[in-house]
Amino acid sequence: MKLPNTLYLLLLLPLLAGCNLQKDIDVVLPPHKPVLVVEGYLEYGRPLRITVLESSSYFDEPEVPLVPDAKAFITYKGRRIALRYQPHADPVYNKYYTHRSDEIMTGQPGDMYTLDVSDNQGRKVTATTTILPRVPIDTIEWRFNEKEEALLLTSFQDDPDKANFYRYVVHRDSVEKASARDFFVNDNLTNGQRVSIGSGYNYRKNDTLIISLYHIEQKYYDFLTSTSDAKNANGNPFAQPSRIKSTVEGGIGIFTNLVYDRKMVIIK
Amino acid sequence: MHLPSYLLSLFLLLLLVKAPLAQAQVVNATITGQVRSATDRQPLPGATVGVPQLGIGTITDAKGMYRLELPAGTYTLQVSFIGYETITQPLTVGRTNQELDFRLEDGGNMLQEVVVEANTLRQKLNTNQMSVEQLTSTEAKLLPALFGEVDLLKTLQLKPGVQSGGEGASGLYVRGGGPDQNLVLLDDAVIYNPSHLFGFFSVFNPDAVRSVELYKGGFPAQFGGRLSSVVDVELNKGNPDNYRVTGGLGVISSRLTLEGPLVKDKASFIISGRRTYSDVFTRMLNKANEGSADYSPIPDYYFYDLNGKFNYKLSRKDELTFSSYYGRDFFKFSDASFKVGFDWGNTMASLGWRHSFNARAFVNTTVSTSSYQYTIANQIDVFSLRLRSDIQDFTLKTDFNLILNEKHHLKIGAVATNHSFTIGRLNFDGDDDRFSVATGNSFGAIEFGAYVSDDYEVNPLLTLNYGLRFSGFSNSGKNYFGVEPRASAKYNLTETLVLKGSFASMMQYIHLVANSGASLPTDVWYPSSPNVKPQRSQQVAFGASKLLGKGKYLLTNEVYYKWMHNQIDFRDGANLFVNDSLENEFLFGKGESYGNELYLEKIQGRTTGWIGYTLSWTYRQFADINDGRRFPNRYDRRHDISVVLLHKLNKRISLTGAFVYGTGNAYSLPVARFAMQDIEGRTASIVPIYSDRNSFRLAAYHRLDLGLVLKMKPKRGESDLTFSIYNAYNRRNPYFVYFDQINHETEKTPIAFKAKQVSLFPVIPSVTYNFKF
């Protein structure tokens, strides 16, 4: 829970803004040996695509650190599928990929996919992901205040027999636009309960909302948490610096599967 | 209470004493009593009581009490204290003990308050206790302060071996220990969070506090429960003769104190309050800008604290004291989507009974309660969130002082505390069962300690103090016990050169869950448990003190080494706020700290002050941090220099200045980065990669503060204007550093990365009006 850190920043910001005491400084960083950075999100019915880049020293030029000699394979049910190096963009989601196969992901809950990536420098990254079952959204409802603003309530049933992790995303009008709300939760406090996720009075009549509930792996949740913590620590004097908890071995990154229930509503 | 019954109840402890009571003999007559100020009847700790012709003298203790052993005869007794008229009176000593109290008249000079230390240098040279710093409220009030807010804890940071956690913070880092390792006592009761707002202000109102003693090492056996220091704060007693009003109007707060007699020569009271009022102005500003699209409302923040003390002299041998503290910080913020209230504070009450059996034995017994809590409350429509943590104590403590003979002074005592912990109690509710979450932990624990110690004057040159403390803790069916030996020695090599040494073993059974360098209100205390072992430390210190310049200067050098075991840190990304399995986030390791402290002080004359220099190293080592390699603690500071000067220009004006320099704090920064697209490329971001913890250093910290105290001449009472300039040469000291991403103006893509340093306080002038009538 990051609420207290947010409160402290709120207290501190007027002071900092009032004084405007900020300046550029030189920081000498130790030499950094780049490591492979992999992002792979498998989605049912879509081709197998991943992004392989490498890390950069913080003050290096901000360019895309491609790794053209990286060779990537995904293994499913004993079959090793090669992903060819072909940097390309997906204009719908505004995403970039470096490696792809025409093979479509067909995994069912419980199935396991394995990834291995290597390059000519001897760097090697491996990872696995197990397909999770979809968790259906029960109900989506909303309530108006006196200003005709609506809050949104999304309910679903948590499985009491497992530790579950979720990512909740709300888009306005289209999933092709940037999300209006995006956060991830675990069921530590709500195990086995019918969980309701609320919101502030952020919506108005006739808003079209697309609500997605992702059922995510714990290691993906840990990766999201650690990257969020690392980003927050850079610029927040009250936050503890955090190391990245990757789901891959031998490098940095995430290899997981995206299973979600998605509903569209129009606020009336 | 009778002496035998008291001894009976403590007979087990007495078995440990090397010098049995049966050997106690009255060789000479004993003169005992108390030295007070005639002006306000406050006890005068550090006053000299002696017989110059015999070369025998003593110093009054923290309560102004003294004791002299004298052979039969007729003498001239002399009682003196800096800033007061010396009393000399004839004294005939027979074979019976005498009790003599003294009231010293003010020296008459309005600026006689310019007294840096309560003790004279020779007294300080000869005191048995080493590694201790003393400070009076009077002294702290003369020094320049941030926003003019006088702060005793910040003044203590100017002493060698004591460091601040960061810009403007009042937290004390003593000889490599964290702020959680300080035992902060207010009239013998523990204060768990001694600061307001990130530690920018301590909870101690300077009008309410009389003095503070800070023990950095060589801990007397009566203190226990923390590893690194004891901060012993004593509240003022009310004036027993006259009603008085004292107060001050400052830039951000005002103070008011009322004191006076309740029953002539028997009872007195003092009540003191303080409140900040920045919230008044921020509310006005918010209201004026209401509706402005570009304006972000400023959060509402204020704090107040109240102190009270009541004294009742039951008889010549019995005195009751009731002390209390109540302080709260309040924070409120609201905008269209976020409304939150946040409050925190300490509550303390203690009832003390001092009973003198005779001139050679007395006992102090205290029953007290202390609590600290914070609450975060959030309400939006039908949804409510409430997060709360607290610690509450009930403590019974007794300290027995017995003078066996002229060579042995025995102290025996015991303390028992019932702790109640509520940790991360979260309630989230809506208008039906779908929205209801309750979580959190509660613990009840018992902590106790018992000790015995002996001040043994082996010969006129050598003095020893040795003692043993036995402590224990019980929580969740797990019991821990600790044996804590303490010893110190003083040897007068020459009349002006004294060598001292000490050893202290300490146990700490409760731990602060805090992973930030700031003193935050959400830092909660957590008990030792089956999985969380008590912290332990051992410290050795050696020192030499030398009087220089015909007694005008005292040069002290101390070297120390401290070993710390079962130190606690937290996993990367640990969730410390709402977590029913908090112990899973703990990491256990060890620490060490060593250094040298040099201190030159001058306390008499028109110009007084001190220079302190500390050279120190502080490390921690955890298996799960930095791959098990040791790393410097955040407040590891290789060099720390403080120079404090007070100059009495004339009877009405005194000038003060304080300069500090410290090596930059150890700090963690990212060394590399990677781009993360996430499931939507539109939310792509740069993620920092951190490497070893605390592997960078912030820039060095240095600052000059200047002050001027102008005594005014009102028709009635006294008043002054205290001017302060904090950070006089506007040094931009680092508060934190971050790496910024510079984006292309139109494409919003990163074009460069730069390191930025954020500072907190520029030059800040302030003025405070103080009055007393």
Side-chain angles (χ1 to χ4, degrees):
Chain A
M1 181 175 177
K2 306 301 175 192
L3 179 61
N5 280 342
T6 309
L7 296 183
Y8 297 139
L9 266 186
L10 276 170
L11 268 163
L12 196 62
L13 281 175
L15 200 61
L16 295 175
C19 301
N20 192 26
L21 293 176
Q22 182 166 295
K23 66 175 183 180
D24 291 351
I25 59 167
D26 290 324
V27 173
V28 179
L29 298 178
H32 173 69
K33 189 177 178 186
V35 296
L36 291 177
V37 178
V38 176
E39 273 191 274
Y41 306 94
L42 304 184
E43 199 172 333
Y44 187 84
R46 296 207 174 163
L48 302 176
R49 297 184 291 189
I50 64 168
T51 310
V52 180
L53 301 172
E54 62 180 15
S55 60
S56 309
S57 184
Y58 215 104
F59 298 125
D60 283 356
E61 286 295 312
E63 56 192 21
V64 179
L66 293 168
V67 189
D69 62 349
K71 294 178 175 54
F73 300 89
I74 287 178
T75 303
Y76 175 59
K77 291 188 173 175
R79 201 159 60 85
R80 195 162 185 250
I81 304 159
L83 278 65
R84 63 184 178 277
Y85 178 70
Q86 185 183 356
H88 65 287
D90 179 341
V92 175
Y93 292 98
N94 201 26
K95 283 196 72 168
Y96 295 87
Y97 299 94
T98 59
H99 292 72
R100 66 169 294 162
S101 161
D102 295 330
E103 189 112 10
I104 301 298
M105 190 278 216
T106 56
Q108 297 299 311
D111 288 355
M112 180 184 290
Y113 283 80
T114 303
L115 171 75
D116 64 275
V117 179
S118 59
D119 72 354
N120 293 340
Q121 293 181 44
R123 296 181 294 187
K124 186 175 171 63
V125 166
T126 57
T128 59
T129 182
T130 303
I131 309 301
L132 289 176
R134 190 173 64 94
V135 174
I137 296 171
D138 276 0
T139 54
I140 298 173
E141 54 192 306
W142 50 88
R143 298 176 187 180
F144 289 101
N145 63 11
E146 66 279 4
K147 296 179 184 172
E148 298 278 289
E149 297 161 329
L151 62 77
L152 195 68
L153 295 169
T154 307
S155 302
F156 61 92
Q157 179 62 47
D158 179 69
D159 181 354
D161 298 327
K162 291 178 185 168
N164 292 295
F165 303 85
Y166 305 98
R167 185 167 183 175
Y168 174 79
V169 182
V170 179
H171 288 87
R172 288 178 190 271
D173 302 324
S174 165
V175 292
E176 295 173 21
K177 294 183 175 178
S179 59
R181 194 149 189 251
D182 183 352
F183 67 89
F184 30 93
V185 293
N186 61 37
D187 66 351
N188 282 354
L189 304 178
T190 55
N191 187 41
Q193 295 181 25
R194 187 165 181 267
V195 181
S196 290
I197 295 175
S199 75
Y201 287 101
N202 302 326
Y203 309 105
R204 292 191 169 274
K205 270 189 180 171
N206 298 320
D207 277 357
T208 299
L209 304 177
I210 299 142
I211 294 101
S212 306
L213 179 69
Y214 294 82
H215 189 199
I216 62 176
E217 293 176 287
Q218 176 170 1
K219 53 190 179 182
Y220 180 33
Y221 174 85
D222 290 341
F223 176 74
L224 286 171
T225 306
S226 67
T227 53
S228 173
D229 286 344
K231 287 187 277 187
N232 287 336
N234 183 31
N236 184 344
F238 307 113
Q240 177 80 336
S242 177
R243 287 202 179 198
I244 305 302
K245 293 178 183 169
S246 294
T247 73
V248 304
E249 297 278 338
I252 293 174
I254 174 71
F255 180 62
T256 190
N257 64 94
L258 301 179
V259 178
Y260 54 86
D261 190 20
R262 178 170 286 167
K263 283 187 163 52
M264 187 175 80
V265 296
I266 299 173
I267 305 291
K268 291 290 182 187
Chain B
M1 181 183 284
H2 298 290
L3 179 60
S5 61
Y6 195 85
L7 291 177
L8 189 63
S9 68
L10 295 171
F11 84 102
L12 277 176
L13 293 171
L14 289 171
L15 290 177
L16 300 170
V17 181
K18 292 183 180 178
L21 278 172
Q23 291 179 3
Q25 294 173 22
V26 178
V27 177
N28 303 308
T30 305
I31 315 298
T32 57
Q34 190 176 32
V35 181
R36 294 170 180 252
S37 161
T39 311
D40 57 9
R41 301 282 291 274
Q42 294 290 327
L44 293 176
T48 304
V49 183
V51 179
Q53 67 206 85
L54 294 176
I56 293 175
T58 187
I59 303 162
T60 55
D61 64 14
K63 296 182 186 301
M65 306 298 290
Y66 75 93
R67 176 185 160 277
L68 270 180
E69 298 272 347
L70 294 173
T74 301
Y75 311 106
T76 300
L77 187 69
Q78 185 171 301
V79 184
S80 62
F81 188 62
I82 295 169
Y84 291 83
E85 301 285 356
T86 298
I87 292 178
T88 50
Q89 71 174 55
L91 174 69
T92 301
V93 178
R95 300 199 59 83
T96 55
N97 297 332
Q98 298 182 48
E99 289 190 26
L100 291 174
D101 291 345
F102 297 96
R103 291 184 191 178
L104 300 187
E105 296 287 344
D106 194 296
N109 185 337
M110 290 180 79
L111 286 182
Q112 286 290 357
E113 281 186 315
V114 187
V115 177
V116 175
E117 299 286 345
N119 293 347
T120 67
L121 294 181
R122 183 166 290 280
Q123 289 161 354
K124 196 167 179 180
L125 178 80
N126 284 313
T127 182
N128 293 349
Q129 179 68 44
M130 69 181 300
S131 308
V132 65
E133 304 292 348
Q134 292 173 325
L135 188 70
T136 62
S137 200
T138 306
E139 173 187 0
K141 282 179 178 176
L142 289 169
L143 293 172
L146 176 62
F147 298 117
E149 289 296 309
V150 174
D151 193 318
L152 278 87
L153 295 190
K154 281 188 196 166
T155 310
L156 282 176
Q157 291 170 353
L158 298 171
K159 304 284 186 174
V162 187
Q163 291 154 9
S164 71
E167 176 73 279
S170 63
L172 300 179
Y173 295 81
V174 182
R175 290 187 172 174
D180 57 319
Q181 296 175 348
N182 303 324
L183 178 66
V184 182
L185 298 172
L186 182 63
D187 276 359
D188 283 340
V190 172
I191 295 292
Y192 278 102
N193 188 342
S195 63
H196 295 289
L197 184 63
F198 305 140
F200 290 156
F201 310 102
S202 82
V203 298
F204 303 117
N205 176 346
D207 284 349
V209 170
R210 171 158 187 77
S211 63
V212 56
E213 285 192 329
L214 170 70
Y215 297 84
K216 301 180 289 187
F219 304 103
Q222 65 260 38
F223 295 121
R226 300 290 187 279
L227 295 194
S228 291
S229 84
V230 178
V231 182
D232 194 6
V233 182
E234 186 190 355
L235 288 173
N236 268 325
K237 282 183 178 178
N239 189 312
D241 294 328
N242 302 304
Y243 291 100
R244 276 176 177 261
V245 179
T246 311
L249 298 171
V251 176
I252 61 167
S253 82
S254 284
R255 302 165 272 120
L256 191 68
T257 300
L258 304 173
E259 59 182 313
L262 285 174
V263 180
K264 181 74 175 168
D265 289 330
K266 279 199 172 289
S268 64
F269 77 97
I270 181 168
I271 297 173
S272 193
R274 174 174 65 157
R275 189 198 191 279
T276 61
Y277 32 62
S278 61
D279 56 309
V280 176
F281 304 109
T282 55
R283 276 179 211 162
M284 288 163 62
L285 203 61
N286 289 344
K287 198 169 178 67
N289 288 280
E290 208 168 33
S292 170
D294 298 333
Y295 183 76
S296 299
I298 301 171
D300 208 13
Y301 172 78
Y302 67 94
F303 72 76
Y304 67 80
D305 42 41
L306 300 167
N307 288 279
K309 191 163 180 174
F310 168 77
N311 280 76
Y312 190 79
K313 213 164 188 174
L314 294 168
S315 67
R316 186 156 183 80
K317 291 189 171 182
D318 295 279
E319 184 173 3
L320 286 178
T321 303
F322 175 75
S323 304
S324 63
Y325 169 88
Y326 183 82
R328 283 291 179 276
D329 289 54
F330 291 91
F331 168 82
K332 285 180 191 170
F333 181 79
S334 63
D335 65 9
S337 60
F338 186 62
K339 293 177 183 170
V340 68
F342 186 9
D343 67 84
W344 63 94
N346 298 279
T347 305
M348 181 283 284
S350 75
L351 180 64
W353 172 31
R354 181 187 172 93
H355 174 73
S356 299
F357 298 102
N358 52 47
R360 309 175 71 87
F362 67 91
V363 62
N364 286 320
T365 303
T366 307
V367 57
S368 64
T369 178
S370 180
S371 69
Y372 172 76
Q373 71 164 64
Y374 77 79
T375 306
I376 298 173
N378 183 213
Q379 181 83 40
I380 299 177
D381 194 56
V382 296
F383 304 105
S384 68
L385 179 145
R386 186 179 162 86
L387 175 64
R388 175 172 160 263
S389 291
D390 67 45
I391 178 171
Q392 175 138 37
D393 285 359
F394 290 96
T395 299
L396 176 64
K397 180 170 179 273
T398 186
D399 300 289
F400 183 75
N401 283 258
L402 181 68
I403 294 146
L404 297 177
N405 52 44
E406 72 269 25
K407 288 190 176 296
H408 291 278
H409 182 173
L410 200 66
K411 291 181 180 176
I412 305 169
V415 58
T417 298
N418 180 64
H419 297 288
S420 300
F421 300 85
T422 303
I423 295 162
R425 174 72 62 200
L426 174 77
N427 291 93
F428 177 73
D429 289 303
D431 59 346
D432 59 37
D433 291 343
R434 287 181 300 162
F435 312 111
S436 182
V437 173
T439 183
N441 287 316
S442 293
F443 300 99
I446 300 289
E447 181 174 359
F448 75 89
Y451 71 89
V452 57
S453 75
D454 181 28
D455 281 313
Y456 175 34
E457 189 180 315
V458 181
N459 58 48
L461 298 178
L462 179 63
T463 307
L464 302 177
N465 173 279
Y466 46 90
L468 193 67
R469 184 178 180 89
F470 179 65
S471 60
F473 192 84
S474 176
N475 172 35
S476 305
K478 178 70 178 177
N479 299 316
Y480 290 103
F481 299 99
V483 177
E484 307 169 43
R486 316 279 173 86
S488 64
K490 182 202 76 168
Y491 186 76
N492 289 57
L493 210 57
T494 69
E495 203 172 283
T496 59
L497 179 60
V498 172
L499 303 179
K500 296 177 185 178
S502 68
F503 170 82
S505 175
M506 305 292 280
M507 299 285 290
Q508 180 165 340
Y509 296 100
I510 63 173
H511 321 281
L512 195 64
V513 180
N515 67 352
S516 155
S519 301
L520 299 180
T522 43
D523 298 346
V524 296
W525 290 91
Y526 196 90
S528 293
S529 69
N531 297 320
V532 181
K533 291 180 183 172
Q535 299 179 55
R536 292 185 294 117
S537 76
Q538 294 90 34
Q539 185 185 162
V540 291
F542 299 98
S545 295
K546 169 79 176 163
L547 272 179
L548 303 168
K550 297 179 180 174
K552 285 183 179 174
Y553 302 91
L554 179 64
L555 179 67
T556 302
N557 192 77
E558 287 191 16
V559 59
Y560 66 91
Y561 203 109
K562 184 158 63 178
W563 298 264
M564 292 169 276
H565 316 277
N566 299 332
Q567 297 299 282
I568 294 176
D569 210 310
F570 305 96
R571 295 184 191 285
D572 282 341
N575 174 13
L576 304 182
F577 297 109
V578 180
N579 188 344
D580 280 352
S581 306
L582 198 57
E583 291 182 9
N584 293 339
E585 309 283 17
F586 287 20
L587 299 173
F588 301 97
K590 62 183 181 180
E592 61 182 331
S593 178
Y594 47 92
N596 186 78
E597 298 164 2
L598 193 63
Y599 189 42
L600 176 69
E601 56 187 320
K602 179 177 184 287
I603 64 171
Q604 286 176 298
R606 286 166 66 89
T607 303
T608 56
W610 69 85
I611 299 171
Y613 169 65
T614 305
L615 174 68
S616 63
W617 291 261
T618 304
Y619 296 102
R620 297 288 189 276
Q621 190 170 17
F622 294 80
D624 293 326
I625 299 177
N626 290 2
D627 300 321
R629 298 185 304 278
R630 77 172 189 172
F631 59 95
N633 219 339
R634 190 184 181 116
Y635 31 88
D636 170 51
R637 199 159 298 166
R638 196 70 63 248
H639 307 284
D640 191 82
I641 299 168
S642 57
V643 181
V644 176
L645 290 174
L646 302 92
H647 179 69
K648 188 172 67 175
L649 203 61
N650 56 44
K651 288 187 176 181
R652 293 185 61 202
I653 298 175
S654 65
L655 303 171
T656 57
F659 172 78
V660 291
Y661 172 91
T663 304
N665 280 358
Y667 200 70
S668 301
L669 283 172
V671 293
R673 57 176 161 78
F674 68 93
M676 176 181 165
Q677 293 193 87
D678 207 350
I679 55 176
E680 291 180 16
R682 290 176 189 84
T683 53
S685 58
I686 298 297
V687 182
I689 301 172
Y690 287 86
S691 76
D692 284 356
R693 194 174 287 191
N694 295 345
S695 57
F696 290 86
R697 288 277 172 181
L698 294 178
Y701 183 99
H702 51 91
R703 195 187 79 231
L704 174 68
D705 301 337
L706 299 172
L708 185 151
V709 181
L710 173 65
K711 295 275 183 182
M712 304 197 320
K713 290 182 176 174
K715 289 181 180 174
R716 192 177 169 209
E718 300 171 23
S719 66
D720 69 56
L721 281 172
T722 301
F723 300 89
S724 280
I725 302 176
Y726 181 88
N727 194 8
Y729 57 85
N730 199 22
R731 159 76 176 171
R732 291 191 176 189
N733 282 305
Y735 188 59
F736 66 92
V737 168
Y738 73 100
F739 292 170
D740 196 18
Q741 176 178 318
I742 313 299
N743 287 335
H744 189 277
E745 281 185 17
T746 52
E747 296 176 16
K748 302 298 177 194
T749 51
I751 55 172
F753 296 91
K754 284 188 174 174
K756 304 263 188 185
Q757 175 187 293
V758 180
S759 304
L760 209 52
F761 297 123
V763 55
I764 297 179
S766 60
V767 60
T768 307
Y769 172 69
N770 301 300
F771 58 87
K772 186 191 283 188
F773 58 84

